Amino acid sequence: MKLALFDFDDTLFKTPYDEDWSYMDTPSSLNPRKWNFNPNKEVIKDYKKEYHDRKSIVILLTNRISDVFSDLKTLLDSRFVFFDEYLPIQGKNGNRSKGQRVLQLLKKYPQVEEIEYWEDKDKHIVDVLEVLEAFPDIKITINKIPT
């Protein structure tokens, strides 16, 4: 089994403003009438391959919080981007470690043999790779997205 993990901001879509979590944790930060989120065409192409292949569990691994999840899902749905699972942070004080959320996925899916991860930020890649060091039998592919 394979997990295909996709980040949202500056990975699937170009975020049209500077990173500011006090703003990004608000519904207006995802308002399509206010902001134009342009798709990253290469990552969307990879997403479609993974999603339609159906051999992978396709997961949105984002640091957007659960408070704005419905706004994020509405934006993604409007672009026909759907996931098997969505992993936002639980509330403003939730754990922003993507590595820890990947660990939870591995507990849920112990049969995982492969993980492919699309991400733009080095700190999240390092976090995930540090967690995956404990799982040497899992094949790991990192797709670092230039910003």
Side-chain angles (χ1 to χ4, degrees), residues 65-76:
I65 62 172
S66 54
D67 300 20
V68 299
F69 173 71
S70 64
D71 302 282
L72 177 58
K73 188 162 182 331
T74 298
L75 176 64
L76 291 168

Side-chain angles (χ1 to χ4, degrees), residues 12-26:
L12 278 165
F13 292 89
K14 177 68 180 144
T15 305
Y17 44 79
D18 292 334
E19 185 175 298
D20 171 6
W21 287 110
S22 62
Y23 179 65
M24 294 171 84
D25 289 347
T26 65

Side-chain angles (χ1 to χ4, degrees), residues 15-74:
T15 305
Y17 44 79
D18 292 334
E19 185 175 298
D20 171 6
W21 287 110
S22 62
Y23 179 65
M24 294 171 84
D25 289 347
T26 65
S28 65
S29 71
L30 293 162
N31 185 334
R33 292 184 300 282
K34 185 174 185 176
W35 300 109
N36 185 22
F37 286 86
N38 291 318
N40 180 331
K41 292 177 183 171
E42 288 302 311
V43 177
I44 293 292
K45 181 178 158 185
D46 290 345
Y47 154 80
K48 287 180 179 179
K49 177 185 166 287
E50 294 294 334
Y51 189 77
H52 294 295
D53 182 27
R54 303 316 304 153
K55 293 179 183 171
S56 299
I57 296 176
V58 183
I59 298 169
L60 181 68
L61 182 62
T62 180
N63 268 0
R64 294 290 182 139
I65 62 172
S66 54
D67 300 20
V68 299
F69 173 71
S70 64
D71 302 282
L72 177 58
K73 188 162 182 331
T74 298

Side-chain angles (χ1 to χ4, degrees), residues 81-114:
V81 177
F82 309 102
F83 292 89
D84 299 311
E85 288 196 40
Y86 299 81
L87 289 180
I89 295 168
Q90 296 306 306
K92 287 190 183 221
N93 296 320
N95 188 340
R96 292 198 184 259
S97 169
K98 289 187 177 184
Q100 289 304 305
R101 283 180 275 155
V102 169
L103 184 59
Q104 294 304 313
L105 285 169
L106 293 174
K107 289 177 182 176
K108 182 176 181 177
Y109 301 108
Q111 67 276 34
V112 168
E113 298 172 340
E114 180 179 359

